[in-house]
């Protein structure tokens, strides 16, 4: 199977040359061809001279120059429909992309693994939802080539060969020639760029063809350098508005993919292959005071290497005792998409909703039994009897129906449990889990994800917190596990509307 690799060029000559050199060394040019199209940027002549010198004598590489600047959309359309008259499949590659060995063979294999596959993209350090790691423990940290390579190599055995997201990423975009013939390539409405590849993927999707993400193919990406500043933001805003008009479901489809279709090891990649300081969160909401003995847990995770956080109902009401210092952050809430190494939950006070929210954020869960947790109705740590305990949660009708199913699930999947107030022992067990072999950590994460998948879907849609109906649907989910991801997704989509309380 032959592929035409189109590389539109506008500026940034060093990146262009790095991309070209990588392609020449990673692609079989006896089978595939490279077409470089100069789109007449500010340094058009200098770029042309350098490129012609670089490809002189290199078989399989062709150079063309646009008569005028056409933009990315116009250049791609011209390259595929005017400059090339073969039936080769087409790979569109940004000129600041750097492919790695074997990327094209793997992308082709995924493209033809299923007749419904219409587009394939690769994994990268900088490609929105195809980025690896996608979520970061520190959002300010950049995904370097070396970091992405490290994570990719470590997680490769634990990821499916491909995902089926709503769209593929345009930085490295392989599609079948017959689909271009049937549906055209990029809509000129999206000229000069931004959103054109999403429109193409969504058009194909409505015709029954899927976008895919080849998890074994790795292509690094520097990031957009063609449009900067106000022009970039203006283009993105206008083109996103057009996408939303054409495909109102697009945004929710991407969010659903990220939440339910990405492998757990991928979702928590920045923690599974750890780097830098990590966070430990103690969720002491639901009316429970901060236990004095919690210091024994916190000291096992020193501030020099860990970010410690306590979630409480009322930040202002927390005393500045030994456990609450400047090195321990106290907050009232947390975002689902945060990444934390572990969240500590009170087992008898957990509900399906609070369990799922911790599950979405946390590599590990820790369960705390009711024994030894101070009663908030008594004086605080400075004068409280250390043997005092919270009254049995079963005396609280509000928790009876909601906790009876969440509590066993938490205990089943907890990496550690605080028993009889022994926080030090739980901290030691958690440290062992965090330092366990990668395969063991991934297996535990996969098991938790399977058991909570349908509950997560129900919570997303404002579903019930009663256990009986969730358990019935969970049993039905178990029957679907042997099916392929997209079939499971379709089944879940049919089941969720049946949940009590779901608006029809």
């Amino acid at each position: 199977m032959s592929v035409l690799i189109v590389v539109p060029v506008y500026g940034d000559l060093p990146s262009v040359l790095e991309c070209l050199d990588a392609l020449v060394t990673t692609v079989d040019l006896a089978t595939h061809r490279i077409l470089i199209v100069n789109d007449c940027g500010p340094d058009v002549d200098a770029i042309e001279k350098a490129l012609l010198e670089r490809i002189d004598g290199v078989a399989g590489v062709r150079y063309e120059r646009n008569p005028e600047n056409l933009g990315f959309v116009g250049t791609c359309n011209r390259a595929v429909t005017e400059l090339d008259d073969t039936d080769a499949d087409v790979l569109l590659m940004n000129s600041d992309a750097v492919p790695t060995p074997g990327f094209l063979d793997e992308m082709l294999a995924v493209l033809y693994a299923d007749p419904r596959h219409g587009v394939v993209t690769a994994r990268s350090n900088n490609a929105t939802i195809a980025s690896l790691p996608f979520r970061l423990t520190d959002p300010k940290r950049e995904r370097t080539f070396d970091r992405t390579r490290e994570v990719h190599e470590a997680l490769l055995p634990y990821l499916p060969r491909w995902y089926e997201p709503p769209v593929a990423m345009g930085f490295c975009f392989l599609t079948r020639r017959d689909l271009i013939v049937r549906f055209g390539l990029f809509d000129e409405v999206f000229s000069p760029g931004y959103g054109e590849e999403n429109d193409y993927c969504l058009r194909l999707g409505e015709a029954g063809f899927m976008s895919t993400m080849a998890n074994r193919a790795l292509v690094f990406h520097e990031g957009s350098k063609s449009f900067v500043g106000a022009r970039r933001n203006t283009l993105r805003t206008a083109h996103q508005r057009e996408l939303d008009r054409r495909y109102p479901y697009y945004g929710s489809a991407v969010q659903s993919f990220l939440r339910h279709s990405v492998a757990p090891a991928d979702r928590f990649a920045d923690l599974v292959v750890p780097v830098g300081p990590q966070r430990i969160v103690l969720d002491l909401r639901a009316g429970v005071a901060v236990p004095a003995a919690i210091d024994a847990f916190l000291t096992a995770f020193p501030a020099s290497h860990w970010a410690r956080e306590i979630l409480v109902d009322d930040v202002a009401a927390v005393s500045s005792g030994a456990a609450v210092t400047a090195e321990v952050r106290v907050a009232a809430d947390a975002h689902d998409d945060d990444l934390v190494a572990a969240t500590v939950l009170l087992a008898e006070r957990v509900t399906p909703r609070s369990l799922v929210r911790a599950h979405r954020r946390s590599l590990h869960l820790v369960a705390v039994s009711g024994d030894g947790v101070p009663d908030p109705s008594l004086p605080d740590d400075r004068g409280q009897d250390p043997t005092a305990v919270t009254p049995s949660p079963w005396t609280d009708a509000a928790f009876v129906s909601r906790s009876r199913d969440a509590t066993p699930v938490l205990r089943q999947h907890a990496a550690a449990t605080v028993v009889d107030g022994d926080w030090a022992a739980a901290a030691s067990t958690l440290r062992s889990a965090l330092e366990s072999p990668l395969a063991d950590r991934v297996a535990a994460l996969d098991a938790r994800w399977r058991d909570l998948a349908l509950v997560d879907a129900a919570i997303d849609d404002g579903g019930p917190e009663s256990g009986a109906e969730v358990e019935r649907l969970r049993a039905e989910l178990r029957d679907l596990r042997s099916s392929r991801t997209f079939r499971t997704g379709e089944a879940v989509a049919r089941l969720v509307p049946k949940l009590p309380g779901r608006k029809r």
Side-chain angles (χ1 to χ4, degrees):
M1 190 64 64
S2 177
V3 174
L4 170 70
I5 303 171
V6 178
V7 183
V9 173
Y10 179 81
D12 191 34
L13 180 59
S15 294
V16 175
L17 295 177
E18 185 178 12
C19 174
L20 176 59
D21 291 345
L23 280 172
V24 170
T25 57
T26 59
V27 171
D28 178 7
L29 293 179
T31 303
H32 312 296
R33 293 169 299 110
I34 300 171
L35 173 58
I36 304 169
V37 185
N38 192 333
D39 193 27
C40 301
D43 302 318
V44 56
D45 294 328
I47 288 176
E48 178 172 85
K49 181 176 182 296
L51 286 173
L52 290 175
E53 291 175 353
R54 198 62 147 241
I55 67 175
D56 185 32
V58 181
V61 182
R62 173 184 169 192
Y63 172 86
E64 294 286 346
R65 175 169 167 167
N66 285 339
E68 60 184 357
N69 178 256
L70 301 179
F72 184 83
V73 168
T75 298
C76 290
N77 285 343
R78 178 173 184 253
V80 173
T81 61
E82 296 179 26
L83 299 178
D84 183 77
D85 59 1
T86 70
D87 61 355
D89 293 327
V90 175
L91 173 67
L92 303 175
M93 177 167 285
N94 283 16
S95 61
D96 58 356
V98 183
T100 64
F103 86 101
L104 183 55
D105 290 341
E106 181 61 23
M107 292 178 72
L108 271 172
V110 171
L111 184 65
Y112 284 96
D114 190 306
R116 292 168 298 176
H117 289 180
V119 187
V120 183
T121 195
R123 299 306 297 266
S124 181
N125 63 299
N126 182 16
T128 60
I129 63 174
S131 301
L132 186 69
F134 175 63
R135 291 176 176 83
L136 299 176
T137 55
D138 179 3
K140 298 178 182 178
R141 189 180 72 249
E142 292 186 4
R143 300 177 190 85
T144 63
F145 287 7
D146 287 343
R147 173 59 179 164
T148 293
R149 191 192 303 275
E150 175 192 25
V151 175
H152 188 256
E153 290 177 353
L155 295 187
L156 206 54
Y158 307 104
L159 302 184
R161 191 169 189 181
W162 67 80
Y163 294 136
E164 293 169 353
V167 296
M169 306 303 105
F171 82 106
C172 182
F173 191 87
L174 176 66
T175 188
R176 286 165 28 192
R177 173 72 69 159
D178 63 297
L179 295 181
I180 296 176
V181 172
R182 289 176 59 184
F183 300 102
L185 189 54
F186 293 149
D187 190 332
E188 295 287 348
V189 166
F190 295 95
S191 293
Y194 290 123
E196 70 283 342
E197 78 278 23
N198 296 333
D199 175 72
Y200 178 80
C201 291
L202 293 167
R203 274 190 284 127
L204 292 190
E206 293 187 339
F209 296 96
M210 298 177 182
S211 299
T212 57
M213 187 185 297
N215 285 324
R216 298 180 186 174
L218 183 62
V219 177
F220 298 120
H221 184 213
E222 289 284 0
S224 177
K225 296 182 180 180
S226 297
F227 306 112
V228 295
R231 186 188 183 202
R232 178 179 182 176
N233 294 334
T234 299
L235 284 171
R236 280 185 166 175
T237 300
H239 293 178
Q240 184 61 50
R241 188 180 300 115
E242 178 62 18
L243 286 173
D244 293 340
R245 186 190 68 79
R246 295 184 179 191
Y247 315 102
Y249 55 85
Y250 171 47
S252 60
V254 171
Q255 292 305 312
S256 179
F257 165 75
L258 291 173
R259 176 145 291 165
H260 302 298
S261 299
V262 173
D266 201 340
R267 178 182 177 91
F268 292 97
D270 214 29
L271 288 168
V272 174
V273 186
V275 61
Q278 299 181 46
R279 291 167 64 197
I280 299 290
V281 175
L282 298 103
D283 192 342
L284 300 180
R285 291 173 292 186
V288 177
V290 178
I294 207 171
D295 277 351
F297 185 88
L298 293 176
T299 54
F301 303 94
S304 57
H305 294 90
W306 299 86
R308 289 94 56 85
E309 184 175 290
I310 299 177
L311 297 179
V312 296
D313 292 316
D314 185 356
V315 174
V318 176
S319 65
S320 56
V324 185
T325 69
E327 295 178 339
V328 178
R329 178 176 179 266
V330 179
D333 203 358
H335 194 279
D336 285 357
D337 284 337
D338 284 348
L339 283 186
V340 298
T343 295
V344 181
L345 292 166
L346 305 176
E348 287 83 6
R349 293 275 170 172
V350 72
T351 68
R353 186 176 300 280
S354 64
L355 176 60
V356 163
R357 293 200 64 186
H359 158 75
R360 291 172 183 168
R361 308 172 64 224
S362 312
L363 181 62
H364 295 292
L365 299 176
V366 176
V368 183
S369 71
D371 295 338
V373 178
D375 183 349
S377 66
L378 299 176
D380 63 26
D381 291 343
R382 289 167 294 182
Q384 183 170 321
D385 179 355
T387 64
V389 297
T390 302
S392 168
W394 303 116
T395 64
D396 185 346
F399 283 93
V400 170
S401 64
R402 291 180 290 173
S403 298
R404 62 187 179 191
D405 289 294
T407 298
V409 174
L410 170 60
R411 287 174 170 161
Q412 176 186 356
H413 292 289
T417 303
V418 179
V419 180
D420 296 331
D422 193 346
W423 289 85
S428 178
T429 303
L430 176 59
R431 289 298 295 261
S432 296
L434 288 164
E435 296 165 3
S436 63
L438 177 60
D440 293 346
R441 281 177 279 142
V442 173
L445 195 56
D446 285 344
R448 193 182 87 201
W449 219 258
R450 286 193 300 269
D451 281 358
L452 284 169
L454 191 57
V455 182
D456 194 344
I459 297 301
D460 267 355
D461 291 303
E465 294 204 353
S466 64
E469 182 69 359
V470 169
E471 180 55 37
R472 182 184 68 77
L473 295 176
R474 185 188 296 134
E476 190 164 346
L477 176 65
R478 286 195 288 268
D479 295 335
L480 297 170
R481 287 179 185 161
S482 60
S483 64
R484 296 182 56 183
T485 301
F486 76 92
R487 289 179 184 146
T488 301
E490 290 174 351
V492 169
R494 290 195 299 270
L495 291 173
V496 168
K498 301 177 182 178
L499 291 166
R502 167 77 171 173
K503 293 182 179 180
R504 301 180 182 276

